[in-house]
Amino acid sequence: MNKNYSWILMLTVTLMFIGIIISSQSNSVEEYMATLEAQDEPDLLVLWRSNDERLSSLQGEYYLLQNEYDDMLSQTSQGKISIDTFLEEIDSIHVFNGDAKTTGPGVEVVFTGEIPLVATELLDIINELNNSGAEAIAVNGKRLTSRTHINQVPTDYGYNLMVDRMLITYPLSIQAIGDYHGLYTGLTIIGGIMDKLNSYSIFPTISRREDIIIDASPDKDDYQAYKQPTE
Amino acid sequence: MKIKNVLSLFLVAALLGLLSILLYQTNNPSDPVVSENQQLIDIITQQESDIEEREQNIEGLRNAIDAELDQQTQGLSVITSLRNSLQSARYFSGLNERTGSGIVLTLSDNVQGAELAKTENPDQYRPENYIIHDKNLLYIVNDVKAANPDGIAINNQRIVSNTNIRCVGTVILVNDRRLAPPYQITILGNTDEITQAVFDSGEVEYLVTSGFAITYESKDELTLPAYKGSPNPQYATIYVEPPAEPEEPEEEPVVEPEAPVEQPSSPDETEQTPEEDVAPETDPDASEGDTGTDTDEVTDPEAEEPEAPPVDPQDAPPEEPATEDPAQIPDDQTEGTPDPDTVVVPLDEEVTTDE
């Protein structure tokens, strides 16, 4: 009896160990999947390139700020103050945020609507344009911002696409400002979003344009509500 | 009996040993392919630490500039108001930290489901069905925007106007930064509305029914980090209205009657010669010949319609009602019909993706 008891105890302890190891194994696999070691060489190359681009963009930003700071200090030493710094930065941020009417080169993607897009497809296209470096995007003239919500609303005959509660009709035009080679390549890359749409018989027209003009986002009321940022 | 005990113990120990080895290998992969990639991995790791360092430098510089501005602008009301505009612009574009109430939505891979599938149906086991994908995050972020939140971040990456969410292999990148599970989506704003948006989200529902662990927690004080990237656009600039055209001294053509005989030679020549030159030669196949002449020909006839193409007609009053009407987008933006605002690159660069 005593012998049996010790045997059961031993087995219980062993099984407990096995359980702990299995669960920690699962967690390790989950974490491992997101590590660099778990990635293939082509994926690592993509990561390397993406980091490289980000690093050079940050480098540019750093030098810009450093110059701004140096200018500011030298002006202060001369007892001057320039408002150019403010104005330039405000302009940049307004372009970035969609608060200013913006222009630049880029691409325009037009859908005729024979086969309508669903909201997730529109989101995928916009995300792909952002991946490819778009600096400003508009759908049927409506500038997209960080708060833009895209959805579809069912109707009697199907559904309507909405961007920030604005009804999107066809022809649906997506305009994106940025490096048009990058934007075009991002959209048409093999196995990318255009291939996916083509498989649903959706064949948009992609035009490279020199001078896209995108209106400012009309949602500016936030600025009036602004008081003071938290420090 | 004793032998049986020893045998069972041996089997259990062997199993234990096997699992330990597996666990060790997972954490310390010494696979030759992994070692081959090691150099690349080291470079990427170095890049990531450089990026982090650069981001910190940038943040430091921004703070230094702010402090300097504060000092410079004390008592200067004009500058102070400009400075407030700048701060407000930064604040609303995600370039500053933001604090407030909101919820934290945590998404984890479906580890249990994966284990179960692996043991019960190993042939049909697909690991990608049990991990959170970039699209899941993208769609959830979009869904919660229905609640008009004050700001969103995923694992400390602030969502801004040009945030991209994508995956490379099994890694999800947000703002080009590599994220690891679990994914925490922090949403600031009206807690009730956000919660409702989360419950209404088709993507959240899909993940829950697929067995993914999703938790949410509402908090009174949450802080969203500032966006660390550069807000300075390289291609986009503020649109400047072209100077208003001189009123109507265009009446010069009135001069025409003055010299009716000369008319065919001077004024017409400028407009018609190209057409006349091209027409006899290319007319037969006038469809899609060489790009240069084609675009010219297309623009000529249309140039009559928008003869006075006011680039963007009456945008001068800044407070126009929101351009809610999608009909304002001209239909003529497809190929071959360049609109006067935008220069379409020759037809060979115009691509329709159909076959």
Side-chain angles (χ1 to χ4, degrees), chain A residues 14 33 39 50 54 59 61 76 89 96 101 103 108 124 127 131 135 149-150 184 206-207 209 223, chain B residues 12 54-55 72 90 139 142 161 164-165 170 230 232 234-237 239 315 333 342 350-351:
Chain A
T14 316
M33 293 283 276
Q39 311 309 315
S50 153
R54 181 162 174 86
Q59 211 88 291
E61 174 74 2
T76 314
E89 196 175 346
F96 173 76
K101 191 170 182 177
T103 183
E108 178 170 36
D124 289 346
N127 190 49
N131 284 342
E135 292 176 353
H149 175 234
I150 295 171
Y184 179 81
I206 306 174
S207 313
R209 295 196 174 245
Y223 285 91
Chain B
V12 169
R54 205 33 111 203
E55 284 179 349
Q72 283 187 8
R90 277 189 188 164
Y139 299 155
N142 178 64
S161 58
N164 58 71
I165 300 175
T170 48
S230 165
N232 293 311
Q234 289 180 353
Y235 297 90
T237 53
Y239 177 76
D315 263 320
Q333 291 161 346
T342 51
E350 186 103 13
V351 178

Side-chain angles (χ1 to χ4, degrees), chain A residues 7 10 14 17-18 21-22 24-26 28 30 32-34 36-37 39 41 43-48 50-52 54-55 57-59 61-62 64-66 68-69 72-73 76 81 83 86-87 89-97 100-105 108 120 123-124 127 130-131 134-135 140-141 146-150 166-167 169 171 173 177-179 184 198 203-211 213 218 222-223 226 229-230, chain B residues 8-9 12 16 19-20 22-23 26-27 34 37 40-41 43-45 47-48 50-51 54-55 57-58 61-62 64-65 68-69 72 79 82 86-93 95 99 109 111 115 135 138-139 142 145-146 148-149 160-166 168-171 173 175-178 181 228 230-239 241 311-312 315 322 324 326 329 331 333 339 341-345 349-354:
Chain A
W7 165 243
M10 199 167 66
T14 316
F17 260 115
I18 294 177
I21 287 182
I22 288 177
S24 81
Q25 169 77 6
S26 314
S28 310
E30 186 190 5
Y32 177 68
M33 293 283 276
L36 292 173
E37 282 78 7
Q39 311 309 315
E41 191 180 345
D43 291 335
L44 288 172
L45 287 170
V46 173
L47 281 172
W48 168 73
S50 153
N51 278 343
D52 198 45
R54 181 162 174 86
L55 201 52
S57 151
L58 288 173
Q59 211 88 291
E61 174 74 2
Y62 177 77
L64 210 75
L65 286 172
Q66 185 67 58
E68 189 181 318
Y69 187 55
M72 199 179 274
L73 290 181
T76 314
I81 182 164
I83 60 166
F86 293 106
L87 297 177
E89 196 175 346
I90 290 172
D91 279 358
S92 288
I93 295 174
H94 281 175
V95 169
F96 173 76
N97 204 27
K101 191 170 182 177
T102 304
T103 183
E108 178 170 36
T120 50
L123 272 170
D124 289 346
N127 190 49
N130 279 329
N131 284 342
E135 292 176 353
N140 278 9
S146 60
R147 311 172 78 147
T148 295
H149 175 234
I150 295 171
M166 174 180 124
L167 175 67
T169 55
S173 146
I177 296 177
D179 169 27
Y184 179 81
N198 290 356
F203 300 108
T205 307
I206 306 174
S207 313
R208 297 176 177 181
R209 295 196 174 245
E210 289 296 339
D211 207 359
I213 299 167
D222 286 333
Y223 285 91
Y226 171 77
T230 51
Chain B
S8 315
L9 194 64
V12 169
L16 206 67
L19 283 170
S20 306
L22 217 75
L23 184 63
T26 311
N27 291 326
V34 170
N37 290 338
L40 206 48
I41 291 170
I43 294 172
I44 294 171
T45 313
Q47 279 178 324
E48 286 176 347
D50 289 350
I51 287 174
R54 205 33 111 203
E55 284 179 349
N57 292 342
I58 288 174
L61 259 178
R62 280 187 184 145
I65 290 173
E68 186 61 30
L69 282 175
Q72 283 187 8
I79 305 275
L82 265 179
L86 175 62
Q87 283 291 70
S88 126
R90 277 189 188 164
Y91 186 62
F92 285 106
S93 43
L95 297 170
T99 310
D109 291 340
V111 181
E115 284 303 317
K135 300 286 184 213
L138 178 69
Y139 299 155
N142 178 64
K145 283 180 186 171
N148 200 19
V160 292
S161 58
N162 60 5
T163 287
N164 58 71
I165 300 175
R166 63 186 167 130
V168 176
T170 48
V171 171
L173 305 179
N175 290 336
D176 294 325
R177 293 300 301 270
R178 192 156 57 92
K228 306 263 175 45
S230 165
N232 293 311
Q234 289 180 353
Y235 297 90
T237 53
I238 287 198
Y239 177 76
E241 295 288 342
V311 178
D312 258 283
D315 263 320
E324 297 270 313
I329 300 298
D331 291 355
Q333 291 161 346
D339 85 51
D341 300 357
T342 51
V343 178
V344 179
V345 176
E349 293 191 33
E350 186 103 13
V351 178
T352 310
T353 57
D354 58 355

Side-chain angles (χ1 to χ4, degrees), chain B residues 57-80:
Chain B
N57 292 342
I58 288 174
E59 202 178 344
L61 259 178
R62 280 187 184 145
N63 290 339
I65 290 173
D66 276 354
E68 186 61 30
L69 282 175
D70 269 342
Q71 210 180 341
Q72 283 187 8
T73 57
Q74 267 176 357
L76 300 172
S77 60
V78 180
I79 305 275
T80 308

Side-chain angles (χ1 to χ4, degrees), chain B residues 204-223:
Chain B
V204 170
E205 190 184 345
Y206 162 76
L207 289 176
V208 169
T209 51
S210 306
F212 286 84
I214 298 186
T215 57
Y216 90 91
E217 199 181 349
S218 124
K219 290 190 175 178
D220 288 337
E221 188 161 328
L222 285 168
T223 301

